[in-house]
Structure formats: structure tokens, C-alpha cells
Amino acid sequence: MPVITLMSPDPGPGRPALARVAEAVTGLLGIPAEHCWVLWQRLDADAAHRPDWRDDGSPCAPVGFVTCKETYPKELVSELLLLLRDELSTLLAVPADEVYLVVRRAVPGELLVRGNVWQGDAKVPAPTGS
């Protein structure tokens, strides 16, 4: 159930590109495609400060927030962050080390999903390694 919010002064890459990012995420997590949302928020250049967001026309790496259930183990979330870094770097033609992402954990009783307040579920198993 990740919701990925990406922010940048650049225009978004478009719905098909964001759908590909969601597909990569759901593939990693082993969840249905409709359980991941990717949102792009274009920031007014005068409404944000990030030193590596230049005015020279070069693409700006996004700042992003990944909201997911707390049942995902840290190892899997780490894999998710690296996957997103690589996908966004390639998609947006930005340096991977300029992509900034942070995870926000949804806890039972504080998430409304599919019409109900989520009360928790079984822990997702940690990855066994590739």
C-alpha cells in the first residue's frame, strides 16, 4: 500500500512513466498493481529551496515521501528505496545521489484504506536475498 509523493520544480514525467514506477514497486513488494499510487507535485521554483535545484535548465532530482504500512520489514523498505532511487534516476535523467526519499510508516488505527480503518495485518517476511 505505498503512496509515493514526489516533488520537484520540474514538470512530471507523465502518467505512463509514473505507472512504470508503481509497477516496479508492486513487483518488488508482491502486491496488486492497484495498491501503489505515485503522485507528482510540481513546486513553484520560488516556493522551495534546495541548493542542487539549479535554474540552468538541468533536470531536478525529486524529494519524495514513501508512505507504507509498518508491517514491511526494514530490509524490504531499504530495497524499495534503492529501487525507487534507480528508477527515478533513469526516468528523470538525474544523478542517483541527488534523489532524496524518506519513509513514513502508517500504523494500525491511523490509516483509512479501501473504505476501512486499517487495524494491522501479518508482518511481511523479510527478503531472502537475491
Short mmCIF file of all heavy atoms in Angstrom, two decimals, residues 30-94:
data_model
loop_
_atom_site.label_atom_id
_atom_site.label_comp_id
_atom_site.label_asym_id
_atom_site.label_seq_id
_atom_site.Cartn_x
_atom_site.Cartn_y
_atom_site.Cartn_z
N GLY A 30 5.39 -7.54 -4.14
CA GLY A 30 4.50 -8.67 -4.36
C GLY A 30 3.06 -8.36 -4.01
O GLY A 30 2.35 -9.18 -3.43
N ILE A 31 2.63 -7.14 -4.36
CA ILE A 31 1.25 -6.72 -4.07
C ILE A 31 0.55 -6.37 -5.38
O ILE A 31 1.21 -6.13 -6.40
CB ILE A 31 1.22 -5.51 -3.10
CG1 ILE A 31 1.96 -4.31 -3.68
CG2 ILE A 31 1.79 -5.91 -1.74
CD1 ILE A 31 1.87 -3.05 -2.85
N PRO A 32 -0.79 -6.32 -5.39
CA PRO A 32 -1.52 -5.98 -6.61
C PRO A 32 -1.15 -4.58 -7.11
O PRO A 32 -0.88 -3.66 -6.31
CB PRO A 32 -2.99 -6.03 -6.18
CG PRO A 32 -3.01 -6.91 -4.98
CD PRO A 32 -1.71 -6.68 -4.28
N ALA A 33 -1.15 -4.40 -8.42
CA ALA A 33 -0.77 -3.14 -9.05
C ALA A 33 -1.59 -1.95 -8.54
O ALA A 33 -1.07 -0.85 -8.42
CB ALA A 33 -0.90 -3.26 -10.57
N GLU A 34 -2.85 -2.18 -8.22
CA GLU A 34 -3.70 -1.06 -7.79
C GLU A 34 -3.43 -0.63 -6.34
O GLU A 34 -4.04 0.31 -5.84
CB GLU A 34 -5.19 -1.40 -7.97
CG GLU A 34 -5.68 -2.54 -7.15
CD GLU A 34 -5.54 -3.92 -7.81
OE1 GLU A 34 -4.83 -4.05 -8.83
OE2 GLU A 34 -6.12 -4.88 -7.28
N HIS A 35 -2.48 -1.29 -5.67
CA HIS A 35 -2.18 -0.95 -4.28
C HIS A 35 -0.97 -0.02 -4.14
O HIS A 35 -0.39 0.08 -3.06
CB HIS A 35 -1.97 -2.21 -3.45
CG HIS A 35 -3.24 -2.97 -3.23
ND1 HIS A 35 -3.32 -4.02 -2.36
CD2 HIS A 35 -4.48 -2.84 -3.76
CE1 HIS A 35 -4.55 -4.51 -2.37
NE2 HIS A 35 -5.27 -3.80 -3.22
N CYS A 36 -0.58 0.64 -5.21
CA CYS A 36 0.51 1.61 -5.16
C CYS A 36 0.11 2.84 -5.95
O CYS A 36 -0.33 2.73 -7.09
CB CYS A 36 1.80 1.02 -5.73
SG CYS A 36 3.18 2.17 -5.74
N TRP A 37 0.28 3.99 -5.34
CA TRP A 37 -0.01 5.25 -6.01
C TRP A 37 1.27 6.06 -6.06
O TRP A 37 2.02 6.12 -5.09
CB TRP A 37 -1.07 6.05 -5.27
CG TRP A 37 -2.37 5.35 -5.06
CD1 TRP A 37 -2.84 4.24 -5.73
CD2 TRP A 37 -3.38 5.69 -4.12
NE1 TRP A 37 -4.09 3.91 -5.26
CE2 TRP A 37 -4.44 4.79 -4.27
CE3 TRP A 37 -3.50 6.69 -3.17
CZ2 TRP A 37 -5.59 4.84 -3.50
CZ3 TRP A 37 -4.65 6.76 -2.41
CH2 TRP A 37 -5.68 5.84 -2.58
N VAL A 38 1.50 6.71 -7.19
CA VAL A 38 2.64 7.61 -7.33
C VAL A 38 2.10 8.97 -7.73
O VAL A 38 1.40 9.09 -8.74
CB VAL A 38 3.65 7.10 -8.39
CG1 VAL A 38 4.86 8.02 -8.46
CG2 VAL A 38 4.09 5.66 -8.07
N LEU A 39 2.40 9.97 -6.92
CA LEU A 39 1.89 11.32 -7.13
C LEU A 39 3.06 12.26 -7.41
O LEU A 39 4.08 12.20 -6.72
CB LEU A 39 1.15 11.80 -5.88
CG LEU A 39 0.12 10.84 -5.29
CD1 LEU A 39 -0.37 11.35 -3.95
CD2 LEU A 39 -1.03 10.64 -6.25
N TRP A 40 2.90 13.12 -8.40
CA TRP A 40 3.93 14.11 -8.72
C TRP A 40 3.39 15.48 -8.39
O TRP A 40 2.31 15.86 -8.85
CB TRP A 40 4.29 14.05 -10.20
CG TRP A 40 5.44 14.96 -10.53
CD1 TRP A 40 5.37 16.28 -10.84
CD2 TRP A 40 6.82 14.60 -10.58
NE1 TRP A 40 6.63 16.78 -11.08
CE2 TRP A 40 7.54 15.76 -10.92
CE3 TRP A 40 7.51 13.41 -10.36
CZ2 TRP A 40 8.93 15.77 -11.06
CZ3 TRP A 40 8.89 13.42 -10.49
CH2 TRP A 40 9.59 14.58 -10.84
N GLN A 41 4.14 16.22 -7.60
CA GLN A 41 3.75 17.57 -7.25
C GLN A 41 4.82 18.52 -7.77
O GLN A 41 5.97 18.46 -7.35
CB GLN A 41 3.60 17.72 -5.74
CG GLN A 41 3.15 19.09 -5.31
CD GLN A 41 2.94 19.17 -3.80
OE1 GLN A 41 3.14 18.21 -3.07
NE2 GLN A 41 2.54 20.34 -3.35
N ARG A 42 4.40 19.38 -8.72
CA ARG A 42 5.34 20.37 -9.25
C ARG A 42 5.35 21.58 -8.33
O ARG A 42 4.31 22.16 -8.04
CB ARG A 42 4.94 20.78 -10.66
CG ARG A 42 5.97 21.69 -11.29
CD ARG A 42 5.66 21.98 -12.73
NE ARG A 42 6.74 22.72 -13.32
CZ ARG A 42 6.72 23.21 -14.53
NH1 ARG A 42 5.65 23.02 -15.29
NH2 ARG A 42 7.74 23.88 -14.99
N LEU A 43 6.54 21.92 -7.88
CA LEU A 43 6.70 23.04 -6.96
C LEU A 43 7.04 24.31 -7.73
O LEU A 43 7.83 24.27 -8.68
CB LEU A 43 7.82 22.75 -5.96
CG LEU A 43 7.65 21.49 -5.10
CD1 LEU A 43 8.91 21.25 -4.30
CD2 LEU A 43 6.45 21.63 -4.19
N ASP A 44 6.49 25.40 -7.30
CA ASP A 44 6.89 26.69 -7.84
C ASP A 44 8.34 26.90 -7.43
O ASP A 44 8.70 26.72 -6.26
CB ASP A 44 5.98 27.77 -7.24
CG ASP A 44 6.30 29.15 -7.78
OD1 ASP A 44 7.47 29.57 -7.71
OD2 ASP A 44 5.36 29.81 -8.25
N ALA A 45 9.19 27.27 -8.37
CA ALA A 45 10.62 27.43 -8.09
C ALA A 45 10.88 28.42 -6.96
O ALA A 45 11.88 28.30 -6.24
CB ALA A 45 11.35 27.86 -9.36
N ASP A 46 10.01 29.41 -6.78
CA ASP A 46 10.19 30.39 -5.72
C ASP A 46 9.61 29.93 -4.38
O ASP A 46 9.71 30.64 -3.39
CB ASP A 46 9.55 31.72 -6.12
CG ASP A 46 10.31 32.41 -7.23
OD1 ASP A 46 11.55 32.23 -7.31
OD2 ASP A 46 9.67 33.10 -8.04
N ALA A 47 9.01 28.74 -4.35
CA ALA A 47 8.38 28.25 -3.14
C ALA A 47 9.20 27.16 -2.46
O ALA A 47 8.74 26.54 -1.51
CB ALA A 47 6.98 27.73 -3.44
N ALA A 48 10.41 26.91 -2.98
CA ALA A 48 11.23 25.84 -2.41
C ALA A 48 12.70 26.20 -2.55
O ALA A 48 13.10 26.89 -3.49
CB ALA A 48 10.94 24.52 -3.13
N HIS A 49 13.50 25.70 -1.62
CA HIS A 49 14.95 25.87 -1.70
C HIS A 49 15.61 24.52 -1.56
O HIS A 49 15.37 23.79 -0.59
CB HIS A 49 15.47 26.81 -0.61
CG HIS A 49 16.96 26.77 -0.50
ND1 HIS A 49 17.79 27.34 -1.45
CD2 HIS A 49 17.77 26.18 0.40
CE1 HIS A 49 19.04 27.12 -1.11
NE2 HIS A 49 19.06 26.41 0.01
N ARG A 50 16.40 24.18 -2.53
CA ARG A 50 17.28 23.02 -2.46
C ARG A 50 18.50 23.42 -3.29
O ARG A 50 18.35 23.71 -4.50
CB ARG A 50 16.60 21.78 -3.03
CG ARG A 50 17.48 20.55 -2.93
CD ARG A 50 16.77 19.29 -3.36
NE ARG A 50 17.74 18.21 -3.45
CZ ARG A 50 17.47 16.98 -3.82
NH1 ARG A 50 16.23 16.66 -4.13
NH2 ARG A 50 18.40 16.08 -3.88
N PRO A 51 19.68 23.47 -2.71
CA PRO A 51 20.84 24.00 -3.43
C PRO A 51 21.13 23.34 -4.78
O PRO A 51 21.58 24.01 -5.70
CB PRO A 51 22.00 23.77 -2.45
CG PRO A 51 21.35 23.79 -1.11
CD PRO A 51 20.00 23.14 -1.32
N ASP A 52 20.84 22.04 -4.91
CA ASP A 52 21.14 21.41 -6.19
C ASP A 52 20.01 21.53 -7.21
O ASP A 52 20.11 20.99 -8.30
CB ASP A 52 21.57 19.96 -6.02
CG ASP A 52 20.61 19.12 -5.20
OD1 ASP A 52 19.55 19.64 -4.81
OD2 ASP A 52 20.92 17.95 -4.96
N TRP A 53 18.95 22.26 -6.89
CA TRP A 53 17.93 22.58 -7.88
C TRP A 53 18.37 23.87 -8.55
O TRP A 53 18.21 24.97 -8.02
CB TRP A 53 16.56 22.75 -7.23
CG TRP A 53 15.90 21.45 -6.86
CD1 TRP A 53 16.29 20.20 -7.19
CD2 TRP A 53 14.72 21.30 -6.08
NE1 TRP A 53 15.42 19.27 -6.67
CE2 TRP A 53 14.44 19.92 -5.98
CE3 TRP A 53 13.85 22.19 -5.45
CZ2 TRP A 53 13.36 19.40 -5.30
CZ3 TRP A 53 12.76 21.68 -4.76
CH2 TRP A 53 12.52 20.31 -4.69
N ARG A 54 18.94 23.71 -9.73
CA ARG A 54 19.52 24.83 -10.46
C ARG A 54 18.53 25.46 -11.42
O ARG A 54 17.57 24.83 -11.83
CB ARG A 54 20.76 24.34 -11.22
CG ARG A 54 21.83 23.78 -10.27
CD ARG A 54 22.89 22.97 -10.99
NE ARG A 54 22.44 21.69 -11.51
CZ ARG A 54 22.26 20.58 -10.78
NH1 ARG A 54 22.46 20.60 -9.49
NH2 ARG A 54 21.87 19.45 -11.33
N ASP A 55 18.79 26.70 -11.77
CA ASP A 55 17.96 27.42 -12.73
C ASP A 55 18.52 27.34 -14.15
O ASP A 55 18.13 28.11 -15.00
CB ASP A 55 17.84 28.90 -12.32
CG ASP A 55 17.02 29.09 -11.07
OD1 ASP A 55 16.17 28.23 -10.77
OD2 ASP A 55 17.25 30.10 -10.38
N ASP A 56 19.45 26.42 -14.39
CA ASP A 56 20.12 26.38 -15.69
C ASP A 56 19.45 25.43 -16.69
O ASP A 56 19.99 25.15 -17.75
CB ASP A 56 21.59 25.98 -15.52
CG ASP A 56 21.76 24.59 -14.92
OD1 ASP A 56 20.75 23.88 -14.71
OD2 ASP A 56 22.92 24.20 -14.67
N GLY A 57 18.27 24.94 -16.35
CA GLY A 57 17.55 24.05 -17.26
C GLY A 57 17.87 22.58 -17.06
O GLY A 57 17.23 21.73 -17.67
N SER A 58 18.86 22.26 -16.22
CA SER A 58 19.16 20.85 -15.97
C SER A 58 18.05 20.25 -15.10
O SER A 58 17.44 20.96 -14.30
CB SER A 58 20.52 20.69 -15.30
OG SER A 58 20.56 21.38 -14.08
N PRO A 59 17.77 18.95 -15.27
CA PRO A 59 16.67 18.35 -14.51
C PRO A 59 16.96 18.34 -13.01
O PRO A 59 18.10 18.21 -12.59
CB PRO A 59 16.57 16.93 -15.08
CG PRO A 59 17.85 16.67 -15.78
CD PRO A 59 18.43 18.00 -16.15
N CYS A 60 15.90 18.46 -12.25
CA CYS A 60 15.99 18.49 -10.78
C CYS A 60 15.56 17.14 -10.21
O CYS A 60 14.45 16.68 -10.48
CB CYS A 60 15.09 19.59 -10.23
SG CYS A 60 15.53 21.26 -10.77
N ALA A 61 16.44 16.54 -9.43
CA ALA A 61 16.09 15.29 -8.76
C ALA A 61 15.00 15.56 -7.73
O ALA A 61 15.03 16.58 -7.04
CB ALA A 61 17.32 14.69 -8.08
N PRO A 62 14.03 14.69 -7.62
CA PRO A 62 12.91 14.95 -6.71
C PRO A 62 13.24 14.70 -5.25
O PRO A 62 14.18 13.98 -4.92
CB PRO A 62 11.85 13.96 -7.19
CG PRO A 62 12.64 12.82 -7.71
CD PRO A 62 13.85 13.44 -8.35
N VAL A 63 12.44 15.30 -4.41
CA VAL A 63 12.35 14.97 -3.00
C VAL A 63 11.08 14.14 -2.89
O VAL A 63 10.06 14.49 -3.50
CB VAL A 63 12.24 16.25 -2.14
CG1 VAL A 63 11.91 15.90 -0.70
CG2 VAL A 63 13.52 17.07 -2.24
N GLY A 64 11.13 13.04 -2.16
CA GLY A 64 9.94 12.20 -2.10
C GLY A 64 9.68 11.62 -0.73
O GLY A 64 10.57 11.49 0.10
N PHE A 65 8.41 11.30 -0.54
CA PHE A 65 7.94 10.66 0.68
C PHE A 65 7.24 9.36 0.30
O PHE A 65 6.36 9.36 -0.57
CB PHE A 65 6.97 11.57 1.44
CG PHE A 65 7.62 12.87 1.85
CD1 PHE A 65 7.51 13.99 1.05
CD2 PHE A 65 8.34 12.94 3.03
CE1 PHE A 65 8.12 15.18 1.42
CE2 PHE A 65 8.95 14.13 3.40
CZ PHE A 65 8.84 15.26 2.60
N VAL A 66 7.63 8.28 0.93
CA VAL A 66 7.03 6.98 0.70
C VAL A 66 6.25 6.62 1.95
O VAL A 66 6.83 6.44 3.02
CB VAL A 66 8.09 5.90 0.41
CG1 VAL A 66 7.44 4.54 0.18
CG2 VAL A 66 8.98 6.30 -0.76
N THR A 67 4.93 6.54 1.83
CA THR A 67 4.10 6.14 2.96
C THR A 67 3.74 4.68 2.76
O THR A 67 3.22 4.30 1.70
CB THR A 67 2.82 7.00 3.04
OG1 THR A 67 3.21 8.38 3.12
CG2 THR A 67 2.00 6.62 4.25
N CYS A 68 4.06 3.86 3.75
CA CYS A 68 3.74 2.43 3.66
C CYS A 68 3.39 1.91 5.04
O CYS A 68 3.69 2.52 6.06
CB CYS A 68 4.89 1.64 3.04
SG CYS A 68 6.41 1.62 4.03
N LYS A 69 2.74 0.77 5.05
CA LYS A 69 2.35 0.14 6.30
C LYS A 69 3.59 -0.25 7.10
O LYS A 69 4.61 -0.63 6.54
CB LYS A 69 1.50 -1.11 6.03
CG LYS A 69 0.15 -0.80 5.43
CD LYS A 69 -0.59 -2.09 5.13
CE LYS A 69 -1.97 -1.82 4.56
NZ LYS A 69 -2.64 -3.08 4.19
N GLU A 70 3.47 -0.18 8.41
CA GLU A 70 4.61 -0.51 9.26
C GLU A 70 4.97 -2.00 9.23
O GLU A 70 6.02 -2.39 9.72
CB GLU A 70 4.33 -0.09 10.71
CG GLU A 70 3.31 -0.93 11.42
CD GLU A 70 3.23 -0.64 12.91
OE1 GLU A 70 3.96 0.23 13.41
OE2 GLU A 70 2.44 -1.31 13.57
N THR A 71 4.14 -2.83 8.61
CA THR A 71 4.41 -4.26 8.58
C THR A 71 5.52 -4.65 7.61
O THR A 71 5.99 -5.78 7.65
CB THR A 71 3.12 -5.04 8.23
OG1 THR A 71 2.53 -4.47 7.06
CG2 THR A 71 2.12 -4.99 9.37
N TYR A 72 5.95 -3.73 6.75
CA TYR A 72 7.07 -4.04 5.85
C TYR A 72 8.37 -4.00 6.64
O TYR A 72 8.66 -3.01 7.32
CB TYR A 72 7.14 -3.06 4.69
CG TYR A 72 6.01 -3.21 3.70
CD1 TYR A 72 5.01 -2.27 3.60
CD2 TYR A 72 5.96 -4.31 2.85
CE1 TYR A 72 3.97 -2.41 2.69
CE2 TYR A 72 4.93 -4.47 1.94
CZ TYR A 72 3.95 -3.52 1.87
OH TYR A 72 2.92 -3.68 0.97
N PRO A 73 9.19 -5.06 6.57
CA PRO A 73 10.46 -5.07 7.31
C PRO A 73 11.45 -4.04 6.74
O PRO A 73 11.39 -3.68 5.56
CB PRO A 73 10.97 -6.50 7.14
CG PRO A 73 10.28 -7.03 5.94
CD PRO A 73 8.97 -6.30 5.83
N LYS A 74 12.35 -3.59 7.60
CA LYS A 74 13.34 -2.57 7.20
C LYS A 74 14.15 -3.00 5.98
O LYS A 74 14.46 -2.18 5.12
CB LYS A 74 14.28 -2.25 8.36
CG LYS A 74 13.64 -1.40 9.42
CD LYS A 74 14.64 -1.01 10.49
CE LYS A 74 13.95 -0.16 11.55
NZ LYS A 74 14.90 0.30 12.56
N GLU A 75 14.48 -4.27 5.90
CA GLU A 75 15.29 -4.75 4.77
C GLU A 75 14.54 -4.55 3.45
O GLU A 75 15.12 -4.13 2.45
CB GLU A 75 15.65 -6.23 4.93
CG GLU A 75 16.50 -6.53 6.15
CD GLU A 75 15.67 -6.74 7.43
OE1 GLU A 75 14.42 -6.69 7.38
OE2 GLU A 75 16.29 -6.95 8.48
N LEU A 76 13.25 -4.84 3.45
CA LEU A 76 12.44 -4.69 2.25
C LEU A 76 12.25 -3.21 1.91
O LEU A 76 12.29 -2.81 0.75
CB LEU A 76 11.09 -5.40 2.41
CG LEU A 76 10.19 -5.48 1.18
CD1 LEU A 76 10.90 -6.15 0.02
CD2 LEU A 76 8.91 -6.22 1.52
N VAL A 77 12.06 -2.39 2.93
CA VAL A 77 11.92 -0.96 2.70
C VAL A 77 13.23 -0.39 2.14
O VAL A 77 13.22 0.46 1.25
CB VAL A 77 11.48 -0.23 3.99
CG1 VAL A 77 11.52 1.28 3.83
CG2 VAL A 77 10.08 -0.69 4.39
N SER A 78 14.36 -0.86 2.63
CA SER A 78 15.65 -0.43 2.08
C SER A 78 15.75 -0.79 0.60
O SER A 78 16.21 0.02 -0.22
CB SER A 78 16.82 -1.06 2.85
OG SER A 78 16.88 -0.54 4.15
N GLU A 79 15.33 -2.00 0.25
CA GLU A 79 15.33 -2.41 -1.16
C GLU A 79 14.40 -1.51 -1.97
O GLU A 79 14.73 -1.13 -3.11
CB GLU A 79 14.87 -3.86 -1.30
CG GLU A 79 15.92 -4.88 -0.95
CD GLU A 79 15.47 -6.29 -1.28
OE1 GLU A 79 14.82 -6.50 -2.34
OE2 GLU A 79 15.76 -7.20 -0.48
N LEU A 80 13.26 -1.17 -1.40
CA LEU A 80 12.30 -0.29 -2.07
C LEU A 80 12.92 1.09 -2.34
O LEU A 80 12.79 1.64 -3.43
CB LEU A 80 11.04 -0.15 -1.22
CG LEU A 80 10.02 0.89 -1.68
CD1 LEU A 80 9.45 0.53 -3.04
CD2 LEU A 80 8.92 1.04 -0.65
N LEU A 81 13.60 1.64 -1.35
CA LEU A 81 14.23 2.95 -1.53
C LEU A 81 15.29 2.92 -2.64
O LEU A 81 15.36 3.83 -3.47
CB LEU A 81 14.84 3.43 -0.21
CG LEU A 81 13.84 3.80 0.88
CD1 LEU A 81 14.56 4.04 2.21
CD2 LEU A 81 13.02 5.01 0.48
N LEU A 82 16.09 1.88 -2.66
CA LEU A 82 17.13 1.76 -3.70
C LEU A 82 16.51 1.56 -5.07
O LEU A 82 16.99 2.12 -6.07
CB LEU A 82 18.09 0.62 -3.36
CG LEU A 82 18.92 0.82 -2.09
CD1 LEU A 82 19.74 -0.43 -1.78
CD2 LEU A 82 19.81 2.06 -2.20
N LEU A 83 15.44 0.78 -5.14
CA LEU A 83 14.72 0.59 -6.40
C LEU A 83 14.18 1.93 -6.90
O LEU A 83 14.35 2.28 -8.08
CB LEU A 83 13.58 -0.41 -6.22
CG LEU A 83 12.62 -0.52 -7.40
CD1 LEU A 83 13.17 -1.48 -8.43
CD2 LEU A 83 11.25 -0.95 -6.95
N LEU A 84 13.54 2.68 -6.02
CA LEU A 84 13.00 3.98 -6.41
C LEU A 84 14.11 4.93 -6.84
O LEU A 84 13.97 5.65 -7.83
CB LEU A 84 12.20 4.59 -5.26
CG LEU A 84 10.81 4.04 -5.05
CD1 LEU A 84 10.22 4.54 -3.74
CD2 LEU A 84 9.90 4.41 -6.22
N ARG A 85 15.21 4.95 -6.11
CA ARG A 85 16.35 5.79 -6.49
C ARG A 85 16.77 5.50 -7.92
O ARG A 85 16.92 6.40 -8.74
CB ARG A 85 17.51 5.55 -5.53
CG ARG A 85 18.77 6.30 -5.92
CD ARG A 85 20.03 5.69 -5.36
NE ARG A 85 20.23 4.33 -5.86
CZ ARG A 85 21.05 3.45 -5.32
NH1 ARG A 85 21.74 3.75 -4.23
NH2 ARG A 85 21.18 2.24 -5.83
N ASP A 86 16.95 4.22 -8.22
CA ASP A 86 17.42 3.83 -9.55
C ASP A 86 16.39 4.12 -10.63
O ASP A 86 16.72 4.62 -11.70
CB ASP A 86 17.81 2.35 -9.56
CG ASP A 86 19.01 2.06 -8.67
OD1 ASP A 86 19.72 3.01 -8.27
OD2 ASP A 86 19.21 0.88 -8.33
N GLU A 87 15.12 3.80 -10.36
CA GLU A 87 14.05 4.07 -11.33
C GLU A 87 13.94 5.56 -11.63
O GLU A 87 13.83 5.96 -12.78
CB GLU A 87 12.71 3.54 -10.81
CG GLU A 87 12.60 2.04 -10.74
CD GLU A 87 12.39 1.38 -12.09
OE1 GLU A 87 11.75 2.00 -12.96
OE2 GLU A 87 12.87 0.25 -12.26
N LEU A 88 13.96 6.38 -10.58
CA LEU A 88 13.82 7.82 -10.77
C LEU A 88 15.03 8.44 -11.44
O LEU A 88 14.90 9.32 -12.29
CB LEU A 88 13.54 8.50 -9.43
CG LEU A 88 12.19 8.15 -8.80
CD1 LEU A 88 12.11 8.65 -7.37
CD2 LEU A 88 11.03 8.70 -9.65
N SER A 89 16.21 7.96 -11.09
CA SER A 89 17.43 8.47 -11.72
C SER A 89 17.39 8.22 -13.22
O SER A 89 17.68 9.12 -14.02
CB SER A 89 18.65 7.80 -11.09
OG SER A 89 19.82 8.19 -11.76
N THR A 90 17.01 7.03 -13.61
CA THR A 90 16.92 6.68 -15.03
C THR A 90 15.79 7.44 -15.72
O THR A 90 15.99 8.05 -16.77
CB THR A 90 16.70 5.16 -15.18
OG1 THR A 90 17.81 4.48 -14.58
CG2 THR A 90 16.59 4.77 -16.64
N LEU A 91 14.63 7.43 -15.12
CA LEU A 91 13.45 8.06 -15.71
C LEU A 91 13.63 9.55 -15.91
O LEU A 91 13.26 10.11 -16.95
CB LEU A 91 12.23 7.79 -14.81
CG LEU A 91 10.94 8.51 -15.16
CD1 LEU A 91 10.39 8.01 -16.48
CD2 LEU A 91 9.93 8.33 -14.05
N LEU A 92 14.22 10.22 -14.93
CA LEU A 92 14.31 11.67 -14.94
C LEU A 92 15.66 12.19 -15.41
O LEU A 92 15.86 13.41 -15.50
CB LEU A 92 14.01 12.22 -13.53
CG LEU A 92 12.66 11.79 -12.94
CD1 LEU A 92 12.58 12.20 -11.47
CD2 LEU A 92 11.51 12.38 -13.75
N ALA A 93 16.60 11.28 -15.68
CA ALA A 93 17.97 11.65 -16.10
C ALA A 93 18.62 12.57 -15.06
O ALA A 93 19.15 13.63 -15.38
CB ALA A 93 17.96 12.28 -17.48
N VAL A 94 18.54 12.14 -13.80
CA VAL A 94 19.15 12.89 -12.70
C VAL A 94 20.15 11.98 -11.99
O VAL A 94 20.02 10.76 -12.03
CB VAL A 94 18.09 13.41 -11.70
CG1 VAL A 94 17.14 14.39 -12.37
CG2 VAL A 94 17.32 12.27 -11.05
#
